[in-house]
Amino acid sequence: MTQTVGDFVVSRLHVWGVRRMFGYPGDGINGVFGALNRAGDKIEFIQARHEEMAAFMASAYAKFSGELGVCIATSGPGAAHLVTGMYDARADHQPLLAIVGQQARGALGGHYQQEVDLAALFKDVAGDFAHQASTPAQVRHLIDRAVRIALANRTVTALILPNDLQEMAYEEPARAHGTVHSGFGYRAPKIVPYQEDLQAAADVLNAGEKVAILVGAGALGATDEVIAIADRLGAGAAKALLGKAVLPDDLPWVTGSIGLLGTEPSWDLMRDCDTLLMIGSGFPYAEFLPEEGQAKAVQIDIQPGMLSLRYPMDVNLVGDAKETLNALLPLLEQKDGKWRNRIEKNVAAWWKLLEERAHAEANPVNPQLVAWELSSRLPDNVILTSDSGSCANWYARDIKIRPGIMASLSGGLASMGAAVPYAIAAKYAHPDRPVIGLVGDGAMQMNNMAELITVSKYWRDWADHRFIICVFNNEDLNQVTWEQRVMEGDPKFEASQGIPNVPYHRFAELIGLKGLFVDRPENLGHAWDEALASDRPVLLEVKTDPEVPPMPPHLTFEQVKNLTSTLIKGDPNEGGIIRGTVRQVLSSVLPGKSDG
């Protein structure tokens, strides 16, 4: 049987190590789908409910597996739907290949149905490589370059295949002028800075008396090395959201998350340090870093374009975090524990405060309690995902990471709707591990509900059936509501912020999953226990209080003024705001005060 271009695409991807792809079919990509069918079990295809979700799955699969994520869609609208998930991978520096169909070559330029200039569409998101194939002999080098560039640059690439080309007989490139004869294979190099640069960094770090460390996703896989460096420097360490799993939270000098979703100890760490070591992080908010000129600083990153981008560094080191920290450690001097003792006291007080806040009265359930009750019950090898929105605050602050736990979310893009596709991808990367996703009701309604159908279709194939999606149902687009109040000084805009009350647990039951509903705080712990013991995926719906504020760790005078302005103007939930503010916010404004 003649090998088609579609057959060659599948076989070449298999040679590159691709074993699964996420997508949705359509006539523009039928030639590749036919080849997938003929290839048997060489490459597993996972059918999402929407192309955007398939791209999120591919992005998350790259994060959780360390491999290339691949998504596939038809021409026109199918290809366009991939873009948000592709941007998620680009923003978080993940290798992703998008394979999309196109209309027949002879129709292009003729305003044909579903004709979209896909190379132009992908120009930004797949700027390193987005090409359309024209001849069978061209396909080999397009696949090879797309995969190699995605892996090497940790970026997004795109391959566009006209539908008539997919059905043509494949031809190897001729041995002639004007042809390209490519090969497969890529292994990441070992990248370590020059010794003199390492020494310059050590000199800065050794001179400091109050060293702060900030870790991001680039430090994943370097946990032991970060701990060794921190112990040598007597440092405290804050975690950017994508770096949540870098360090376990039972270490008393780990201050937790940083930024708008961060902790008071992380704020204090950056405010008071005289030296900063940033490892593998693109944390964007300069106001949460030391004031410019306050601290001497060293940064380690594998991406040169990320260096000295958030803070003016004294020494920039291009290198892999693990290898660079190993090379740096022998050059560092042991510091005393005065600075760290202060940090540890702040961290201990903060965890006590979080526990008080989580158990503060709410109507009906305090959303912080949802994460707090989960934290102590986390299985040892669980994978956590979170959506964007107020649930990300409680994920960032209240859940304690232990060694062996993996966790991620849409970081740089901070897109709603990523938690469930992320969780599904986690199951395909590690089918023998439990997975838990936290989702707000806004994101659930936006697109996550449909992907529960995907869970219903595939869960029996997973070695470990523990898969829990927890929905925070507060009938409010809560993060934006509070941003309007605190950042802008505007009351809640009901027309934009209020969302329908949907029985999510009942929807789960309708499609064969287990549904649980909690609207009393005393029932929450038992519900988590029941969900974790279930023999099938679970949708745990909790009716949470929208007036528990997901506030930044440090309120500025301007933010307090804006919140006061909101109350003066008259917010539709004014009574709830006052109660929630008294119980939650004043503990930040007045350190040492209880939440009562």
Side-chain angles (χ1 to χ4, degrees):
M1 184 176 176
T2 302
Q3 184 186 39
T4 68
V5 168
D7 292 320
F8 177 78
V9 169
V10 172
S11 64
R12 196 68 169 182
L13 289 173
H14 186 268
V15 167
W16 271 100
V18 173
R19 295 297 179 266
R20 56 188 50 87
M21 58 176 68
F22 306 86
Y24 202 81
D27 62 354
I29 197 67
N30 273 348
V32 176
F33 273 84
L36 281 169
N37 192 23
R38 290 189 293 273
D41 60 358
K42 278 191 172 181
I43 297 180
E44 181 181 18
F45 172 71
I46 295 95
Q47 180 200 73
R49 312 274 63 77
H50 189 282
E51 293 91 352
E52 179 183 340
M53 301 293 96
F56 273 130
M57 291 176 196
S59 175
Y61 184 80
K63 289 184 178 184
F64 291 127
S65 71
E67 301 171 3
L68 177 71
V70 181
C71 55
I72 185 167
T74 189
S75 56
H81 284 157
L82 293 174
V83 169
T84 301
M86 293 169 69
Y87 268 112
D88 180 63
R90 177 181 170 88
D92 289 350
H93 306 285
Q94 296 303 312
L96 182 146
L97 168 62
I99 301 170
V100 297
Q102 179 58 288
Q103 295 308 301
R105 291 168 296 169
L108 295 178
H111 190 61
Y112 201 74
Q113 185 184 37
Q114 294 194 335
E115 180 188 352
V116 173
D117 187 345
L118 295 177
L121 176 69
F122 294 146
K123 183 177 181 181
D124 181 56
V125 68
D128 286 11
F129 190 89
H131 284 277
Q132 180 171 304
S134 301
T135 68
Q138 184 188 13
V139 173
R140 180 171 126 190
H141 72 257
L142 291 183
I143 293 173
D144 291 344
R145 292 202 69 215
V147 175
R148 185 176 287 109
I149 290 171
L151 291 170
N153 295 353
R154 301 191 62 80
T155 192
V156 175
T157 59
L159 176 61
I160 305 161
L161 300 169
N163 57 24
D164 59 326
L165 180 68
Q166 298 168 41
E167 300 287 0
M168 293 178 66
Y170 175 70
E171 301 173 5
E172 291 286 359
R175 182 174 173 81
H177 184 70
T179 62
V180 176
H181 298 255
S182 61
F184 63 87
Y186 173 77
R187 185 178 180 185
K190 176 181 176 179
I191 302 177
V192 183
Y194 286 110
Q195 191 64 29
E196 53 263 41
D197 295 326
L198 290 167
Q199 187 60 59
D203 291 344
V204 169
L205 297 170
N206 287 332
E209 296 181 359
K210 302 183 221 177
V211 181
I213 295 174
L214 174 59
V215 295
L220 291 169
T223 296
D224 291 344
E225 289 73 19
V226 173
I227 291 172
I229 291 285
D231 285 342
R232 184 70 56 87
L233 295 173
K239 302 187 286 187
L241 204 51
L242 286 173
K244 183 172 176 65
V246 171
L247 293 169
D249 288 302
D250 59 359
L251 293 172
W253 45 268
V254 173
T255 61
S257 55
I258 188 174
L260 293 168
L261 281 61
T263 71
E264 190 75 28
S266 291
W267 170 269
D268 293 339
L269 180 73
M270 295 297 160
R271 181 195 62 195
D272 298 334
C273 72
D274 62 18
T275 309
L276 173 65
L277 173 59
M278 187 182 294
I279 308 168
S281 175
F283 174 73
Y285 302 121
E287 67 270 28
F288 291 94
L289 295 175
E291 289 190 18
E292 189 168 340
Q294 168 193 324
K296 295 288 186 179
V298 174
Q299 186 175 0
I300 300 169
D301 207 290
I302 199 73
Q303 299 273 358
M306 299 303 295
L307 293 170
S308 243
L309 184 63
R310 309 305 187 197
Y311 191 85
M313 298 290 164
D314 294 274
V315 181
N316 294 289
L317 300 177
V318 179
D320 170 80
K322 185 181 183 76
E323 299 289 349
T324 302
L325 292 173
N326 273 328
L328 182 61
L329 183 62
L331 306 177
L332 299 178
E333 301 167 0
Q334 182 65 54
K335 297 187 185 296
D336 63 37
K338 292 180 182 178
W339 168 241
R340 179 173 275 190
N341 289 340
R342 175 176 160 187
I343 294 166
E344 290 180 355
K345 288 179 182 178
N346 287 345
V347 171
W350 174 255
W351 281 116
K352 184 178 179 182
L353 177 60
L354 278 186
E355 184 175 13
E356 293 173 358
R357 287 183 174 180
H359 289 86
E361 182 184 346
N363 182 27
V365 179
N366 188 329
Q368 294 162 113
L369 188 63
V370 180
W372 187 268
E373 290 288 345
L374 168 62
S375 186
S376 62
R377 293 172 166 84
L378 289 173
D380 288 339
N381 62 341
V382 72
I383 303 177
L384 298 170
T385 74
S386 173
D387 221 289
S388 296
S390 60
C391 66
N393 288 266
W394 321 131
Y395 158 85
R397 292 178 186 162
D398 291 275
I399 289 182
K400 294 184 178 181
I401 291 293
R402 300 196 306 274
I405 290 176
M406 301 179 77
S408 196
L409 75 177
S410 177
L413 192 63
S415 175
M416 288 177 67
V420 175
Y422 263 51
I424 293 169
K427 268 298 186 186
Y428 280 99
H430 301 281
D432 58 342
R433 298 177 67 163
V435 174
I436 301 173
L438 306 180
V439 191
D441 50 355
M444 202 65 193
Q445 291 181 21
M446 179 181 284
N447 47 28
N448 277 312
M449 270 181 88
E451 290 309 317
L452 291 181
I453 302 172
T454 305
V455 175
S456 180
K457 178 177 180 178
Y458 290 114
W459 70 267
R460 292 169 185 83
D461 298 335
W462 301 333
D464 187 316
H465 293 163
R466 287 176 293 176
F467 183 97
I468 305 169
I469 299 299
C470 178
V471 180
F472 295 70
N473 181 355
N474 56 23
E475 301 178 49
D476 181 47
L477 297 176
N478 200 236
Q479 187 79 9
V480 175
T481 293
W482 281 99
E483 286 170 350
Q484 289 173 346
R485 291 166 174 165
V486 177
M487 303 300 181
E488 308 299 331
D490 288 331
K492 176 181 176 179
F493 182 31
E494 286 280 13
S496 72
Q497 299 309 108
I499 60 174
N501 183 21
V502 174
Y504 306 97
H505 69 291
R506 291 176 61 191
F507 174 77
E509 291 170 348
L510 284 172
I511 59 173
L513 309 180
K514 185 180 182 68
L516 297 173
F517 178 74
V518 173
D519 61 358
R520 297 173 64 87
E522 60 268 27
N523 296 336
L524 191 53
H526 174 72
W528 275 120
D529 291 336
E530 187 176 352
L532 286 163
S534 175
D535 63 351
R536 66 183 56 215
V538 177
L539 189 290
L540 170 59
E541 177 184 351
V542 184
K543 198 69 178 172
T544 55
D545 188 345
E547 303 311 331
V548 175
M551 306 294 279
H554 175 81
L555 282 173
T556 65
F557 174 77
E558 187 69 23
Q559 289 166 340
V560 174
K561 186 176 75 172
N562 287 340
L563 185 56
T564 304
S565 172
T566 295
L567 296 173
I568 292 172
K569 292 175 183 177
D571 191 278
N573 294 351
E574 184 173 312
I577 292 176
I578 294 171
R579 287 191 300 272
T581 299
V582 167
R583 293 177 182 134
Q584 300 287 328
V585 179
L586 290 186
S587 58
S588 298
V589 177
L590 304 173
K593 301 294 182 183
S594 70
D595 287 310

